[in-house]
Amino acid sequence: MAGTYDGHLDSVAETEFFKLSISNAGDITATGSSGCVATGTITPHSSGNIYDTQITFGPAPCGQPNKTVTGAGVYHPDPERAVLLLGLVD
């Protein structure tokens, strides 16, 4: 799933568009349209096509400055358009 993804982060407070990159080692870097920067990791779960995810947002202008969230992801490697869905809990 290493690569770059364009998407959005939706929360009760806001929606922000992000460009998210995942390295071969599972390191995540993301930059939002506001300038918010986030980093984290994504690793395979013990079974299934599920990935454990942790992301830490940087300081303002992030909507949740310096907050770490965890959750799970699902990856669909479609050759036309790969899809990565992440569900993160505050």
Side-chain angles (χ1 to χ4, degrees):
M1 87 174 55
T4 301
Y5 302 86
D6 292 317
H8 51 90
L9 170 70
D10 296 318
S11 70
V12 174
E14 64 185 324
T15 294
E16 183 168 352
F17 291 92
F18 271 85
K19 182 172 287 289
L20 182 138
S21 295
I22 301 175
S23 73
N24 287 330
D27 296 317
I28 296 173
T29 56
T31 304
S33 55
S34 70
C36 174
V37 176
T39 59
T41 57
I42 188 164
T43 56
H45 191 69
S46 59
S47 63
N49 184 31
I50 306 292
Y51 295 84
D52 298 319
T53 307
Q54 177 177 316
I55 293 180
T56 301
F57 295 98
C62 292
Q64 295 196 31
N66 307 309
K67 180 82 173 185
T68 298
V69 293
T70 60
V74 177
Y75 177 65
H76 178 66
D78 186 306
E80 295 292 319
R81 182 174 177 208
V83 176
L84 175 64
L85 298 172
L86 301 176
L88 304 168
V89 180
D90 177 0

